[in-house]
Amino acid sequence: VCIRDTLVFFDLLRRNLTGLDKYKMPHNAELIQEHTRRFPESPFGRRNVQLLRSFYPWLEEIQHYMLERIGQAKHCIQIISPYYYPIKELDEALIAAQRRGVRIEIITSLKRDVPAYKHMQSAVLFKDYIAEGIEVYEYTKNFLHAKAVCVDEQYVNMGSFNLDHWSWYNNNEVNVEVANVADISAQFSHIYAKLRKHSRRVEAKEDYDSFVD
């Protein structure tokens, strides 16, 4: 049922974006309303589930919500992002949160299958974060493709959006933010813990020949 709902949901997006007029973006509420009409028990119909989109250069909902939640964070931020490249607005927001006492952890991938990232070292990419005390981990078991951000165990933002220049400034992406839904937050925590179990902490300076085949 969950897979069916998701397929229909994204089919609605596809059909609404066919022949896209850059000056008139489809409205989130209309898409949610149509999906809820078809599947009244779907979690997408909940008021605390928000469809977020990024369509360059007209719409930056994902970026806006992510920065807003980070700016409001009080206790913890957990991030899963296989691909990362320094982004000024994001870096400033996360470092500011770390400095005001928010505990931040990031799980990225040791092995990356995208050629542009294949030989990039996390110790170099995340050096500014590591210097500030943000904990960065590399998932070592398999390739990692999950993308999600959880703030204060209340807001879970997940979808296709990577924390890199391609997603932030160029790509068309779709995410969903779930707010204050205990079972979703618990599922995220469970998945995060499993990934963390098979991850190694990234230190400031490393010899990657020891880790990458």
Side-chain angles (χ1 to χ4, degrees), residues 80-83 107-115 117-119 138-147 195 198-199 212-213:
I80 304 170
S81 185
Y83 310 114
I107 296 178
T108 188
S109 187
L110 172 62
K111 298 180 181 180
R112 303 181 178 98
D113 55 347
V114 175
Y117 283 108
K118 195 169 184 179
H119 300 292
E138 288 181 328
Y139 180 68
T140 61
K141 192 173 182 181
N142 297 302
F143 288 113
L144 178 66
H145 279 282
K147 298 106 177 176
L195 292 174
H198 296 286
S199 300
V212 182
D213 296 330

Side-chain angles (χ1 to χ4, degrees), residues 127-141:
K127 62 182 177 62
D128 291 340
Y129 287 0
I130 295 171
E132 291 287 340
I134 294 174
E135 296 182 17
V136 178
Y137 297 87
E138 288 181 328
Y139 180 68
T140 61
K141 192 173 182 181

Side-chain angles (χ1 to χ4, degrees), residues 72-198:
Q72 296 170 348
K74 295 180 174 61
H75 308 294
C76 62
I77 299 172
Q78 295 171 309
I79 297 172
I80 304 170
S81 185
Y83 310 114
Y84 164 82
Y85 199 83
I87 300 161
K88 185 175 185 294
E89 306 98 302
L90 176 66
D91 296 349
E92 289 177 349
L94 285 172
I95 289 172
Q98 173 74 12
R99 289 178 177 176
R100 67 173 183 267
V102 178
R103 179 181 174 84
I104 302 174
E105 289 187 0
I106 300 170
I107 296 178
T108 188
S109 187
L110 172 62
K111 298 180 181 180
R112 303 181 178 98
D113 55 347
V114 175
Y117 283 108
K118 195 169 184 179
H119 300 292
M120 289 188 178
Q121 299 179 1
S122 295
V124 176
L125 288 173
F126 293 94
K127 62 182 177 62
D128 291 340
Y129 287 0
I130 295 171
E132 291 287 340
I134 294 174
E135 296 182 17
V136 178
Y137 297 87
E138 288 181 328
Y139 180 68
T140 61
K141 192 173 182 181
N142 297 302
F143 288 113
L144 178 66
H145 279 282
K147 298 106 177 176
V149 177
C150 182
V151 177
D152 289 339
E153 300 180 337
Q154 292 181 317
Y155 301 99
V156 180
N157 190 322
M158 52 193 168
S160 66
F161 195 83
N162 284 296
L163 301 183
D164 65 7
H165 279 229
W166 289 268
S167 286
W168 199 275
Y169 298 120
N170 298 299
N171 291 355
N172 298 334
E173 309 280 2
V174 178
N175 272 29
V176 172
E177 184 191 75
V178 182
N180 296 303
V181 180
D183 55 338
I184 299 296
S185 297
Q187 288 179 43
F188 174 88
S189 296
H190 177 69
I191 293 170
Y192 188 89
K194 289 185 69 174
L195 292 174
R196 178 82 159 67
K197 181 179 178 180
H198 296 286

Side-chain angles (χ1 to χ4, degrees), residues 13 25-29 31-32 50-69 157 161 167-168 171 173-177:
L13 279 177
M25 298 297 297
H27 197 274
N28 285 356
L31 296 173
I32 297 291
Q50 176 74 23
L51 172 67
L52 304 177
R53 297 167 294 170
S54 173
F55 292 114
Y56 178 83
W58 319 298
L59 197 64
E60 294 184 336
E61 292 175 341
I62 301 173
Q63 296 92 319
H64 170 75
Y65 270 77
M66 199 170 290
L67 291 174
E68 182 176 332
R69 298 307 184 203
N157 190 322
F161 195 83
S167 286
W168 199 275
N171 291 355
E173 309 280 2
V174 178
N175 272 29
V176 172
E177 184 191 75

